[in-house]
mmCIF file with all atom_site columns, all heavy atoms in Angstrom:
data_model
loop_
_atom_site.group_PDB
_atom_site.id
_atom_site.type_symbol
_atom_site.label_atom_id
_atom_site.label_alt_id
_atom_site.label_comp_id
_atom_site.label_asym_id
_atom_site.label_entity_id
_atom_site.label_seq_id
_atom_site.pdbx_PDB_ins_code
_atom_site.Cartn_x
_atom_site.Cartn_y
_atom_site.Cartn_z
_atom_site.occupancy
_atom_site.B_iso_or_equiv
_atom_site.pdbx_formal_charge
_atom_site.auth_seq_id
_atom_site.auth_comp_id
_atom_site.auth_asym_id
_atom_site.auth_atom_id
_atom_site.pdbx_PDB_model_num
ATOM 1   N N   . LEU A 1 17  ? 148.390 122.273 72.284  1.00 0.00 ? 58  LEU A N   1
ATOM 2   C CA  . LEU A 1 17  ? 147.795 121.494 73.378  1.00 0.00 ? 58  LEU A CA  1
ATOM 3   C C   . LEU A 1 17  ? 147.333 120.146 72.851  1.00 0.00 ? 58  LEU A C   1
ATOM 4   O O   . LEU A 1 17  ? 146.570 120.076 71.888  1.00 0.00 ? 58  LEU A O   1
ATOM 5   C CB  . LEU A 1 17  ? 146.606 122.246 73.985  1.00 0.00 ? 58  LEU A CB  1
ATOM 6   C CG  . LEU A 1 17  ? 146.943 123.498 74.810  1.00 0.00 ? 58  LEU A CG  1
ATOM 7   C CD1 . LEU A 1 17  ? 145.654 124.171 75.234  1.00 0.00 ? 58  LEU A CD1 1
ATOM 8   C CD2 . LEU A 1 17  ? 147.787 123.153 75.988  1.00 0.00 ? 58  LEU A CD2 1
ATOM 9   N N   . SER A 1 18  ? 147.778 119.088 73.511  1.00 0.00 ? 59  SER A N   1
ATOM 10  C CA  . SER A 1 18  ? 147.333 117.746 73.109  1.00 0.00 ? 59  SER A CA  1
ATOM 11  C C   . SER A 1 18  ? 146.185 117.249 73.966  1.00 0.00 ? 59  SER A C   1
ATOM 12  O O   . SER A 1 18  ? 145.441 116.368 73.553  1.00 0.00 ? 59  SER A O   1
ATOM 13  C CB  . SER A 1 18  ? 148.506 116.758 73.188  1.00 0.00 ? 59  SER A CB  1
ATOM 14  O OG  . SER A 1 18  ? 149.017 116.721 74.515  1.00 0.00 ? 59  SER A OG  1
ATOM 15  N N   . ALA A 1 89  ? 139.922 114.553 74.040  1.00 0.00 ? 130 ALA A N   1
ATOM 16  C CA  . ALA A 1 89  ? 140.290 114.898 75.408  1.00 0.00 ? 130 ALA A CA  1
ATOM 17  C C   . ALA A 1 89  ? 140.308 113.659 76.279  1.00 0.00 ? 130 ALA A C   1
ATOM 18  O O   . ALA A 1 89  ? 139.537 112.729 76.061  1.00 0.00 ? 130 ALA A O   1
ATOM 19  C CB  . ALA A 1 89  ? 139.312 115.924 75.964  1.00 0.00 ? 130 ALA A CB  1
ATOM 20  N N   . LYS A 1 96  ? 133.888 119.394 85.290  1.00 0.00 ? 137 LYS A N   1
ATOM 21  C CA  . LYS A 1 96  ? 134.401 120.671 84.807  1.00 0.00 ? 137 LYS A CA  1
ATOM 22  C C   . LYS A 1 96  ? 133.607 121.804 85.420  1.00 0.00 ? 137 LYS A C   1
ATOM 23  O O   . LYS A 1 96  ? 132.410 121.684 85.666  1.00 0.00 ? 137 LYS A O   1
ATOM 24  C CB  . LYS A 1 96  ? 134.334 120.730 83.275  1.00 0.00 ? 137 LYS A CB  1
ATOM 25  C CG  . LYS A 1 96  ? 135.216 119.694 82.584  1.00 0.00 ? 137 LYS A CG  1
ATOM 26  C CD  . LYS A 1 96  ? 135.117 119.811 81.098  1.00 0.00 ? 137 LYS A CD  1
ATOM 27  C CE  . LYS A 1 96  ? 136.044 118.832 80.396  1.00 0.00 ? 137 LYS A CE  1
ATOM 28  N NZ  . LYS A 1 96  ? 135.748 117.443 80.689  1.00 0.00 ? 137 LYS A NZ  1
ATOM 29  N N   . LYS A 1 164 ? 93.681  119.842 91.821  1.00 0.00 ? 205 LYS A N   1
ATOM 30  C CA  . LYS A 1 164 ? 93.940  119.229 90.515  1.00 0.00 ? 205 LYS A CA  1
ATOM 31  C C   . LYS A 1 164 ? 93.159  117.938 90.340  1.00 0.00 ? 205 LYS A C   1
ATOM 32  O O   . LYS A 1 164 ? 92.654  117.646 89.249  1.00 0.00 ? 205 LYS A O   1
ATOM 33  C CB  . LYS A 1 164 ? 95.436  118.966 90.351  1.00 0.00 ? 205 LYS A CB  1
ATOM 34  C CG  . LYS A 1 164 ? 96.281  120.224 90.273  1.00 0.00 ? 205 LYS A CG  1
ATOM 35  C CD  . LYS A 1 164 ? 97.751  119.878 90.134  1.00 0.00 ? 205 LYS A CD  1
ATOM 36  C CE  . LYS A 1 164 ? 98.612  121.133 90.053  1.00 0.00 ? 205 LYS A CE  1
ATOM 37  N NZ  . LYS A 1 164 ? 100.062 120.806 89.942  1.00 0.00 ? 205 LYS A NZ  1
ATOM 38  N N   . LEU A 1 169 ? 88.703  114.756 87.937  1.00 0.00 ? 210 LEU A N   1
ATOM 39  C CA  . LEU A 1 169 ? 87.505  113.934 88.108  1.00 0.00 ? 210 LEU A CA  1
ATOM 40  C C   . LEU A 1 169 ? 86.266  114.603 87.514  1.00 0.00 ? 210 LEU A C   1
ATOM 41  O O   . LEU A 1 169 ? 85.298  113.904 87.173  1.00 0.00 ? 210 LEU A O   1
ATOM 42  C CB  . LEU A 1 169 ? 87.274  113.646 89.589  1.00 0.00 ? 210 LEU A CB  1
ATOM 43  C CG  . LEU A 1 169 ? 88.324  112.769 90.279  1.00 0.00 ? 210 LEU A CG  1
ATOM 44  C CD1 . LEU A 1 169 ? 88.008  112.626 91.761  1.00 0.00 ? 210 LEU A CD1 1
ATOM 45  C CD2 . LEU A 1 169 ? 88.403  111.399 89.621  1.00 0.00 ? 210 LEU A CD2 1
ATOM 46  N N   . ASP A 1 180 ? 87.956  100.858 102.478 1.00 0.00 ? 221 ASP A N   1
ATOM 47  C CA  . ASP A 1 180 ? 88.329  99.951  103.567 1.00 0.00 ? 221 ASP A CA  1
ATOM 48  C C   . ASP A 1 180 ? 88.428  100.750 104.851 1.00 0.00 ? 221 ASP A C   1
ATOM 49  O O   . ASP A 1 180 ? 88.629  101.960 104.834 1.00 0.00 ? 221 ASP A O   1
ATOM 50  C CB  . ASP A 1 180 ? 89.665  99.256  103.269 1.00 0.00 ? 221 ASP A CB  1
ATOM 51  C CG  . ASP A 1 180 ? 89.886  98.052  104.170 1.00 0.00 ? 221 ASP A CG  1
ATOM 52  O OD1 . ASP A 1 180 ? 88.930  97.644  104.857 1.00 0.00 ? 221 ASP A OD1 1
ATOM 53  O OD2 . ASP A 1 180 ? 91.013  97.520  104.195 1.00 0.00 ? 221 ASP A OD2 1
ATOM 54  N N   . ILE A 1 230 ? 82.998  112.219 101.800 1.00 0.00 ? 271 ILE A N   1
ATOM 55  C CA  . ILE A 1 230 ? 84.111  112.149 100.848 1.00 0.00 ? 271 ILE A CA  1
ATOM 56  C C   . ILE A 1 230 ? 83.610  112.273 99.423  1.00 0.00 ? 271 ILE A C   1
ATOM 57  O O   . ILE A 1 230 ? 84.179  113.002 98.600  1.00 0.00 ? 271 ILE A O   1
ATOM 58  C CB  . ILE A 1 230 ? 84.893  110.839 101.053 1.00 0.00 ? 271 ILE A CB  1
ATOM 59  C CG1 . ILE A 1 230 ? 85.553  110.831 102.431 1.00 0.00 ? 271 ILE A CG1 1
ATOM 60  C CG2 . ILE A 1 230 ? 85.938  110.654 99.953  1.00 0.00 ? 271 ILE A CG2 1
ATOM 61  C CD1 . ILE A 1 230 ? 86.154  109.494 102.809 1.00 0.00 ? 271 ILE A CD1 1
ATOM 62  N N   . GLU A 1 233 ? 82.613  115.870 98.830  1.00 0.00 ? 274 GLU A N   1
ATOM 63  C CA  . GLU A 1 233 ? 83.760  116.781 98.769  1.00 0.00 ? 274 GLU A CA  1
ATOM 64  C C   . GLU A 1 233 ? 84.374  116.812 97.375  1.00 0.00 ? 274 GLU A C   1
ATOM 65  O O   . GLU A 1 233 ? 84.765  117.868 96.875  1.00 0.00 ? 274 GLU A O   1
ATOM 66  C CB  . GLU A 1 233 ? 84.805  116.363 99.794  1.00 0.00 ? 274 GLU A CB  1
ATOM 67  C CG  . GLU A 1 233 ? 86.055  117.233 99.785  1.00 0.00 ? 274 GLU A CG  1
ATOM 68  C CD  . GLU A 1 233 ? 87.094  116.740 100.768 1.00 0.00 ? 274 GLU A CD  1
ATOM 69  O OE1 . GLU A 1 233 ? 86.869  115.694 101.419 1.00 0.00 ? 274 GLU A OE1 1
ATOM 70  O OE2 . GLU A 1 233 ? 88.153  117.390 100.879 1.00 0.00 ? 274 GLU A OE2 1
ATOM 71  N N   . VAL A 1 257 ? 71.208  99.749  103.633 1.00 0.00 ? 298 VAL A N   1
ATOM 72  C CA  . VAL A 1 257 ? 70.286  100.763 104.126 1.00 0.00 ? 298 VAL A CA  1
ATOM 73  C C   . VAL A 1 257 ? 70.330  102.024 103.275 1.00 0.00 ? 298 VAL A C   1
ATOM 74  O O   . VAL A 1 257 ? 69.292  102.563 102.888 1.00 0.00 ? 298 VAL A O   1
ATOM 75  C CB  . VAL A 1 257 ? 70.601  101.097 105.596 1.00 0.00 ? 298 VAL A CB  1
ATOM 76  C CG1 . VAL A 1 257 ? 69.755  102.267 106.076 1.00 0.00 ? 298 VAL A CG1 1
ATOM 77  C CG2 . VAL A 1 257 ? 70.365  99.877  106.479 1.00 0.00 ? 298 VAL A CG2 1
ATOM 78  N N   . GLU A 1 298 ? 44.965  119.427 107.456 1.00 0.00 ? 339 GLU A N   1
ATOM 79  C CA  . GLU A 1 298 ? 45.188  118.062 107.926 1.00 0.00 ? 339 GLU A CA  1
ATOM 80  C C   . GLU A 1 298 ? 46.152  118.099 109.103 1.00 0.00 ? 339 GLU A C   1
ATOM 81  O O   . GLU A 1 298 ? 47.267  118.627 108.997 1.00 0.00 ? 339 GLU A O   1
ATOM 82  C CB  . GLU A 1 298 ? 45.775  117.206 106.807 1.00 0.00 ? 339 GLU A CB  1
ATOM 83  C CG  . GLU A 1 298 ? 46.018  115.760 107.230 1.00 0.00 ? 339 GLU A CG  1
ATOM 84  C CD  . GLU A 1 298 ? 46.608  114.948 106.118 1.00 0.00 ? 339 GLU A CD  1
ATOM 85  O OE1 . GLU A 1 298 ? 46.842  115.519 105.029 1.00 0.00 ? 339 GLU A OE1 1
ATOM 86  O OE2 . GLU A 1 298 ? 46.860  113.743 106.340 1.00 0.00 ? 339 GLU A OE2 1
ATOM 87  N N   . PHE A 1 299 ? 45.722  117.567 110.222 1.00 0.00 ? 340 PHE A N   1
ATOM 88  C CA  . PHE A 1 299 ? 46.545  117.566 111.416 1.00 0.00 ? 340 PHE A CA  1
ATOM 89  C C   . PHE A 1 299 ? 47.345  116.266 111.485 1.00 0.00 ? 340 PHE A C   1
ATOM 90  O O   . PHE A 1 299 ? 46.783  115.174 111.319 1.00 0.00 ? 340 PHE A O   1
ATOM 91  C CB  . PHE A 1 299 ? 45.673  117.708 112.671 1.00 0.00 ? 340 PHE A CB  1
ATOM 92  C CG  . PHE A 1 299 ? 44.978  119.042 112.755 1.00 0.00 ? 340 PHE A CG  1
ATOM 93  C CD1 . PHE A 1 299 ? 43.704  119.214 112.216 1.00 0.00 ? 340 PHE A CD1 1
ATOM 94  C CD2 . PHE A 1 299 ? 45.609  120.122 113.362 1.00 0.00 ? 340 PHE A CD2 1
ATOM 95  C CE1 . PHE A 1 299 ? 43.075  120.432 112.288 1.00 0.00 ? 340 PHE A CE1 1
ATOM 96  C CE2 . PHE A 1 299 ? 44.967  121.343 113.442 1.00 0.00 ? 340 PHE A CE2 1
ATOM 97  C CZ  . PHE A 1 299 ? 43.703  121.521 112.896 1.00 0.00 ? 340 PHE A CZ  1
ATOM 98  N N   . TYR A 1 311 ? 65.866  106.801 106.228 1.00 0.00 ? 352 TYR A N   1
ATOM 99  C CA  . TYR A 1 311 ? 67.139  106.368 105.664 1.00 0.00 ? 352 TYR A CA  1
ATOM 100 C C   . TYR A 1 311 ? 67.512  107.150 104.410 1.00 0.00 ? 352 TYR A C   1
ATOM 101 O O   . TYR A 1 311 ? 68.093  106.612 103.473 1.00 0.00 ? 352 TYR A O   1
ATOM 102 C CB  . TYR A 1 311 ? 67.112  104.863 105.365 1.00 0.00 ? 352 TYR A CB  1
ATOM 103 C CG  . TYR A 1 311 ? 66.915  104.036 106.609 1.00 0.00 ? 352 TYR A CG  1
ATOM 104 C CD1 . TYR A 1 311 ? 65.665  103.503 106.927 1.00 0.00 ? 352 TYR A CD1 1
ATOM 105 C CD2 . TYR A 1 311 ? 67.975  103.808 107.481 1.00 0.00 ? 352 TYR A CD2 1
ATOM 106 C CE1 . TYR A 1 311 ? 65.495  102.754 108.080 1.00 0.00 ? 352 TYR A CE1 1
ATOM 107 C CE2 . TYR A 1 311 ? 67.808  103.063 108.629 1.00 0.00 ? 352 TYR A CE2 1
ATOM 108 C CZ  . TYR A 1 311 ? 66.578  102.537 108.926 1.00 0.00 ? 352 TYR A CZ  1
ATOM 109 O OH  . TYR A 1 311 ? 66.402  101.811 110.060 1.00 0.00 ? 352 TYR A OH  1
ATOM 110 N N   . THR A 1 332 ? 88.682  80.095  104.840 1.00 0.00 ? 373 THR A N   1
ATOM 111 C CA  . THR A 1 332 ? 88.649  80.059  106.306 1.00 0.00 ? 373 THR A CA  1
ATOM 112 C C   . THR A 1 332 ? 87.305  79.549  106.815 1.00 0.00 ? 373 THR A C   1
ATOM 113 O O   . THR A 1 332 ? 87.218  78.457  107.389 1.00 0.00 ? 373 THR A O   1
ATOM 114 C CB  . THR A 1 332 ? 88.926  81.460  106.875 1.00 0.00 ? 373 THR A CB  1
ATOM 115 O OG1 . THR A 1 332 ? 88.017  82.409  106.276 1.00 0.00 ? 373 THR A OG1 1
ATOM 116 C CG2 . THR A 1 332 ? 90.351  81.886  106.566 1.00 0.00 ? 373 THR A CG2 1
ATOM 117 N N   . ASN A 1 341 ? 83.805  66.017  109.435 1.00 0.00 ? 382 ASN A N   1
ATOM 118 C CA  . ASN A 1 341 ? 84.402  64.685  109.337 1.00 0.00 ? 382 ASN A CA  1
ATOM 119 C C   . ASN A 1 341 ? 85.287  64.461  110.564 1.00 0.00 ? 382 ASN A C   1
ATOM 120 O O   . ASN A 1 341 ? 86.250  65.201  110.779 1.00 0.00 ? 382 ASN A O   1
ATOM 121 C CB  . ASN A 1 341 ? 85.239  64.592  108.058 1.00 0.00 ? 382 ASN A CB  1
ATOM 122 C CG  . ASN A 1 341 ? 85.816  63.201  107.843 1.00 0.00 ? 382 ASN A CG  1
ATOM 123 O OD1 . ASN A 1 341 ? 86.667  62.764  108.592 1.00 0.00 ? 382 ASN A OD1 1
ATOM 124 N ND2 . ASN A 1 341 ? 85.349  62.525  106.800 1.00 0.00 ? 382 ASN A ND2 1
ATOM 125 N N   . PRO A 1 383 ? 101.623 83.545  111.102 1.00 0.00 ? 424 PRO A N   1
ATOM 126 C CA  . PRO A 1 383 ? 100.451 83.995  110.345 1.00 0.00 ? 424 PRO A CA  1
ATOM 127 C C   . PRO A 1 383 ? 99.766  85.194  111.004 1.00 0.00 ? 424 PRO A C   1
ATOM 128 O O   . PRO A 1 383 ? 99.871  85.417  112.215 1.00 0.00 ? 424 PRO A O   1
ATOM 129 C CB  . PRO A 1 383 ? 99.534  82.767  110.353 1.00 0.00 ? 424 PRO A CB  1
ATOM 130 C CG  . PRO A 1 383 ? 99.941  81.991  111.564 1.00 0.00 ? 424 PRO A CG  1
ATOM 131 C CD  . PRO A 1 383 ? 101.409 82.221  111.740 1.00 0.00 ? 424 PRO A CD  1
ATOM 132 N N   . THR A 1 451 ? 98.125  95.851  88.826  1.00 0.00 ? 492 THR A N   1
ATOM 133 C CA  . THR A 1 451 ? 97.968  96.518  87.534  1.00 0.00 ? 492 THR A CA  1
ATOM 134 C C   . THR A 1 451 ? 97.392  95.620  86.448  1.00 0.00 ? 492 THR A C   1
ATOM 135 O O   . THR A 1 451 ? 96.580  96.054  85.650  1.00 0.00 ? 492 THR A O   1
ATOM 136 C CB  . THR A 1 451 ? 99.326  97.060  87.055  1.00 0.00 ? 492 THR A CB  1
ATOM 137 O OG1 . THR A 1 451 ? 100.277 95.973  87.000  1.00 0.00 ? 492 THR A OG1 1
ATOM 138 C CG2 . THR A 1 451 ? 99.841  98.128  88.021  1.00 0.00 ? 492 THR A CG2 1
ATOM 139 N N   . LEU A 1 472 ? 92.229  67.180  92.291  1.00 0.00 ? 513 LEU A N   1
ATOM 140 C CA  . LEU A 1 472 ? 92.919  66.752  93.503  1.00 0.00 ? 513 LEU A CA  1
ATOM 141 C C   . LEU A 1 472 ? 92.057  65.860  94.389  1.00 0.00 ? 513 LEU A C   1
ATOM 142 O O   . LEU A 1 472 ? 92.584  65.133  95.234  1.00 0.00 ? 513 LEU A O   1
ATOM 143 C CB  . LEU A 1 472 ? 93.356  67.982  94.312  1.00 0.00 ? 513 LEU A CB  1
ATOM 144 C CG  . LEU A 1 472 ? 94.461  68.852  93.708  1.00 0.00 ? 513 LEU A CG  1
ATOM 145 C CD1 . LEU A 1 472 ? 94.631  70.111  94.543  1.00 0.00 ? 513 LEU A CD1 1
ATOM 146 C CD2 . LEU A 1 472 ? 95.768  68.082  93.635  1.00 0.00 ? 513 LEU A CD2 1
ATOM 147 N N   . ALA A 1 485 ? 84.493  70.882  101.077 1.00 0.00 ? 526 ALA A N   1
ATOM 148 C CA  . ALA A 1 485 ? 84.044  72.132  101.707 1.00 0.00 ? 526 ALA A CA  1
ATOM 149 C C   . ALA A 1 485 ? 84.427  73.340  100.846 1.00 0.00 ? 526 ALA A C   1
ATOM 150 O O   . ALA A 1 485 ? 83.643  74.298  100.726 1.00 0.00 ? 526 ALA A O   1
ATOM 151 C CB  . ALA A 1 485 ? 84.656  72.254  103.099 1.00 0.00 ? 526 ALA A CB  1
#
Side-chain angles (χ1 to χ4, degrees):
L58 289 176
S59 59
K137 296 181 177 61
K205 293 179 180 179
L210 294 177
D221 196 11
I271 295 171
E274 179 183 3
V298 173
E339 181 181 1
F340 294 91
Y352 298 101
T373 53
N382 184 292
T492 56
L513 291 172

